[in-house]
């Protein structure tokens, strides 16, 4: 089988060498002075390398870059989806359903240094709260933490500016 393959390759090379245009090119090259022949040889090698680069190496490299960018975007999407999965599952993150909504809100407020001015029950799983003269950023962090960690969402909210960075908040929270 190896001999058959070698003979077919040799036959194709002989046919290629015997074509009139190849014979002309070979005669032309052999008649060149050595300096010109070297220039033609280096030019042919350069052209072959450029063609190899543009036909093979560059498309592979470009496809690799594109696949890498696609992978990075998919990883970001997966990460975002994973971090927000609890929003779509209908489940609340761990620890969310322990205790009453009042005890959860009150203990989380204490950890953030927020004092509830007034509160009252709102329906079965709700709580109406009033905060006076609290730092805006702390209050927003606290409200976000309640929603993401404890599953307590804001149904209604009213924020009034007292002075720069300080606000009064009235809100209805639901679990």
């Amino acid at each position: 089988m190896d001999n058959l393959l070698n003979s077919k390759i040799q036959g194709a090379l002989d046919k290629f060498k015997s074509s009139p245009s190849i014979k002309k090119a070979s005669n032309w090259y052999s008649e060149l002075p050595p300096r010109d022949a070297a220039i033609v040889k280096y030019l042919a090698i350069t052209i072959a390398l450029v063609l190899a680069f543009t036909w093979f190496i560059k498309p592979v490299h470009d496809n690799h870059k594109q696949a890498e960018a696609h992978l990075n975007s998919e990883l970001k999407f997966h990460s975002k989806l994973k971090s927000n999965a609890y929003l779509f599952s209908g489940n609340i993150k761990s620890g969310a359903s322990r205790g009453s909504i009042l005890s959860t809100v009150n203990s989380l407020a204490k950890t953030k240094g927020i004092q509830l001015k007034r509160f009252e029950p709102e329906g079965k799983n709700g709580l109406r709260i009033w905060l006076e003269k609290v730092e805006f950023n702390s209050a927003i962090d606290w409200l976000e933490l309640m929603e993401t960690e404890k599953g307590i969402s804001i149904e209604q909210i009213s924020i009034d500016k007292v002075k720069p960075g300080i606000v009064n908040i009235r809100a209805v929270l639901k679990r």
Side-chain angles (χ1 to χ4, degrees):
M1 184 163 186
D2 194 34
N3 290 337
L4 179 64
L5 183 62
N6 284 341
S7 65
K8 286 192 175 198
I9 291 174
Q10 191 61 39
L13 281 174
D14 291 340
K15 189 175 182 182
F16 179 72
K17 288 179 183 176
S18 65
S19 80
S21 57
I22 297 300
K23 281 186 177 182
K24 277 184 185 178
S26 179
N27 288 338
W28 172 79
Y29 180 75
S30 62
E31 292 174 3
L32 288 175
R35 191 179 113 206
D36 291 349
I39 291 172
V40 169
K41 183 191 291 185
Y42 292 126
L43 187 60
I45 290 171
T46 303
I47 289 172
L49 289 174
V50 167
L51 289 176
F53 179 76
T54 36
W55 288 344
F56 302 110
I57 297 169
K58 188 174 184 319
V60 169
H61 180 70
D62 291 347
N63 285 342
H64 179 274
K65 286 271 190 196
Q66 185 179 8
E68 197 173 271
H70 181 69
L71 175 66
N72 286 337
S73 72
E74 289 294 321
L75 286 173
K76 283 180 185 174
F77 177 71
H78 174 70
S79 174
K80 185 181 265 187
L81 206 60
K82 187 177 177 183
S83 68
N84 291 322
Y86 72 95
L87 295 173
F88 302 105
S89 68
N91 295 332
I92 299 170
K93 282 195 172 181
S94 64
S97 59
R98 285 189 228 142
S100 70
I101 188 170
L102 175 60
S103 65
T104 304
V105 168
N106 209 11
S107 67
L108 207 53
K110 284 180 184 175
T111 63
K112 287 292 183 176
I114 295 173
Q115 181 85 19
L116 295 176
K117 179 69 175 175
R118 187 173 149 199
F119 55 87
E120 58 187 49
E122 179 77 22
K124 187 177 177 186
N125 292 323
L127 183 68
R128 183 177 299 271
I129 60 166
W130 287 263
L131 307 173
E132 289 187 1
K133 297 180 183 169
V134 295
E135 186 181 319
F136 176 77
N137 289 336
S138 297
I140 295 302
D141 288 344
W142 171 67
L143 291 168
E144 182 182 15
L145 187 64
M146 279 197 302
E147 186 161 350
T148 58
E149 295 296 321
K150 303 298 181 184
I152 298 173
S153 60
I154 304 166
E155 193 167 90
Q156 272 183 344
I157 191 164
S158 172
I159 302 175
D160 299 319
K161 177 180 172 183
V162 176
K163 60 184 179 180
I166 305 295
V167 293
N168 290 337
I169 296 177
R170 291 179 309 281
V172 176
L173 306 174
K174 291 277 184 186
R175 177 173 281 173

